Amino acid sequence: MRMPEPIRFADLPTRIEKLGRLSDELGKNIYIKRDDHTGIEISGNKIRKLEFAVGEALANDCDYLITCGGIQSNHARATAAVAARLGIGVVLVLRGDENSPSEGNYFLNRMLGADIKLVTPEEYRDDRAEIMEGIRAQLEEEGHRGYIIPEGASNGVGSLGYYKVMEEILDQEEQMGIKFDAIVVAVGSGGTYAGLYYGNEVHRNPATIYGFNIVNNREHFQGVVLNLLREISNYTGEHISVAMDDIDIIDGYVGLGYALNQPQEIESIHHIARLEGLILDPVYTGKAMYGLIEEIKKGNFDKHENILFIHTGGLFGWNMDQRDLLGSL
Ligand SMILES: *Cc1c(COP(=O)(O)O)cnc(C)c1O
């Protein structure tokens, strides 16, 4: 497989900033890479993956993007924005119904003109690939060419986006005169972690790449990442050798489940907001940062000094009814 020419939509490189007061509090140098600043409509990590996936779609003369996600999927929203920018069609298969929150990403998808098909949690879990295939077949009958992007654009081609981020980080390290010895991300579908891990290995960089899973468990994502690493190397032609336990997924911070929050997570997000003027999202980065802080306090990051946390975005996830939450702030 050939590595596609990526489309260029994101504002790159994204800044790296030191979180000075949080660093003082934890006795570590904590830096943050602002991938929440890749753009407004395309904000977050998914655009990095879409740049490659959509590059492949355009190289194959496709005029429709088909993808899937939760009702508040950041990935679906970024895909809708990209399709509108390119003047091509987009169909989103979203897990939800008429009673799901209509704000935030879902509203933006409607604003951006995406065709939306709502499916039940069971349909989504068991049949989403078939449903997307069905849509592609239907479009083909109508004279279109559809390109299917899996959940989170976490496949080989999408993960190339974060392989490239590793190169961006290495350049920034040189400019800043610093070496990060730990790089930390939230893990939802695995592509961001896999791309970073691959880039770190290929460049023989000594950093440890840590992922905090916000759904599922460590074993699940170790398997997912291994597969993705193989898929990535099909594009680059360069294989790396990895054992399951080299893949550092830290479990224990899923909490109440996907997109559900417990008070200590909200308190942690609130604390960082006041301390640093930095807003994390409730579904991914809030949980991952909470996890990182807990792990540092437990001493599990004692061997690390310069830690880089990647802010993967997700701020439209706050645009739901937050009246209950306000009471606790
Ligand atoms: C999707 C997403 C992630 C997780 O990235 P994956 O590549 O799916 O593991 C992290 N943060 C935000 C805000 C996301 O939308």
Side-chain angles (χ1 to χ4, degrees), residues 62-204:
C62 294
D63 63 350
Y64 255 91
L65 303 176
I66 305 160
T67 196
C68 62
I71 189 90
Q72 285 294 334
S73 164
N74 297 308
H75 162 69
R77 180 256 310 146
T79 308
V82 164
R85 278 274 288 277
L86 291 169
I88 63 178
V90 58
V91 185
L92 306 175
V93 175
L94 302 180
R95 182 182 55 222
D97 59 32
E98 314 77 57
N99 300 320
S100 305
S102 58
E103 295 93 337
N105 286 312
Y106 180 72
F107 173 78
L108 294 177
N109 288 334
R110 299 286 295 269
M111 182 84 102
L112 290 162
D115 288 334
I116 295 172
K117 181 177 170 57
L118 295 177
V119 299
T120 65
E122 295 72 33
E123 287 172 317
Y124 187 86
R125 189 190 59 217
D126 301 332
D127 305 325
R128 64 178 184 268
E130 290 76 9
I131 292 170
M132 290 194 289
E133 274 302 338
I135 291 167
R136 173 154 70 182
Q138 174 77 35
L139 285 169
E140 206 166 306
E141 273 174 31
E142 295 163 10
H144 293 290
R145 215 175 148 100
Y147 178 89
I148 295 176
I149 303 171
E151 188 177 65
S154 281
N155 56 5
V157 69
S159 303
L160 293 171
Y162 271 84
Y163 163 35
K164 292 296 165 187
V165 172
M166 198 59 223
E167 295 181 349
E168 192 174 300
I169 292 170
L170 294 175
D171 284 345
Q172 288 176 307
E173 282 185 336
E174 209 154 278
Q175 287 159 20
M176 297 170 74
I178 188 169
K179 277 306 283 179
F180 300 112
D181 45 39
I183 299 176
V184 178
V185 281
V187 174
S189 59
T192 301
Y193 182 95
L196 287 170
Y197 187 96
Y198 182 84
N200 196 54
E201 286 297 304
V202 161
H203 290 286
R204 304 191 191 295

Side-chain angles (χ1 to χ4, degrees), residues 45-46 49 74 152 154 186-193 281 284-285 312-314:
N45 62 336
K46 298 311 182 307
K49 305 197 266 181
N74 297 308
S154 281
V187 174
S189 59
T192 301
Y193 182 95
D281 85 290
Y284 298 92
T285 55
T312 39

Side-chain angles (χ1 to χ4, degrees), residues 37-55:
H37 283 208
T38 45
I40 299 286
E41 299 82 358
I42 56 172
S43 162
N45 62 336
K46 298 311 182 307
I47 189 62
R48 301 256 201 188
K49 305 197 266 181
L50 286 169
E51 289 195 333
F52 282 88
V54 176

Side-chain angles (χ1 to χ4, degrees), residues 11-24:
D11 268 339
L12 304 179
T14 54
R15 287 198 313 280
I16 294 180
E17 303 163 341
K18 186 169 185 190
L19 300 179
R21 279 175 295 278
L22 184 64
S23 297
D24 289 347

